[in-house]
Amino acid sequence: MSAPHTLDVHLLAALAAAHLSPADRDRVLDVCDGAVDAVRSLAVAHPGRAVREVVLLMLGEDAPRLDRRVRGDLARLCEVEVVRGL
């Protein structure tokens, strides 16, 4: 399994109890995957922190009804992916 697929598996596990529609779930996955890809392509001093903040901001705007804890879990998973890989 490649890294993006592994990340998606972890993200889906974190979203399991979120009760999102399939379209909303796919949009959340796209936000997370896109943020990870974008931050990896940039030369920033703290890529883990950057992706975590980007995901929190984007999900706050794109999925405002998503529980704060779930958004935090997703952001941390993206941070781990950028820093260490899953």
Side-chain angles (χ1 to χ4, degrees), residues 10-23:
H10 288 282
L11 294 171
L12 285 169
L15 285 170
H19 307 293
L20 295 174
S21 70

Side-chain angles (χ1 to χ4, degrees), residues 2-71:
S2 68
H5 295 296
T6 302
L7 175 61
D8 286 348
V9 169
H10 288 282
L11 294 171
L12 285 169
L15 285 170
H19 307 293
L20 295 174
S21 70
D24 288 340
R25 185 190 63 230
D26 289 346
R27 191 169 60 245
V28 167
L29 292 174
D30 288 344
V31 165
C32 293
D33 289 337
V36 167
D37 290 342
V39 168
R40 281 184 172 155
S41 71
L42 300 172
V44 295
H46 302 283
R49 184 184 319 154
V51 77
R52 184 180 66 230
E53 296 300 326
V54 166
V55 169
L56 286 171
L57 177 64
M58 291 178 72
L59 290 179
E61 291 295 317
D62 204 40
R65 292 184 298 195
L66 187 61
D67 184 82
R68 282 178 73 171
R69 283 186 231 160
V70 175
R71 283 197 311 259

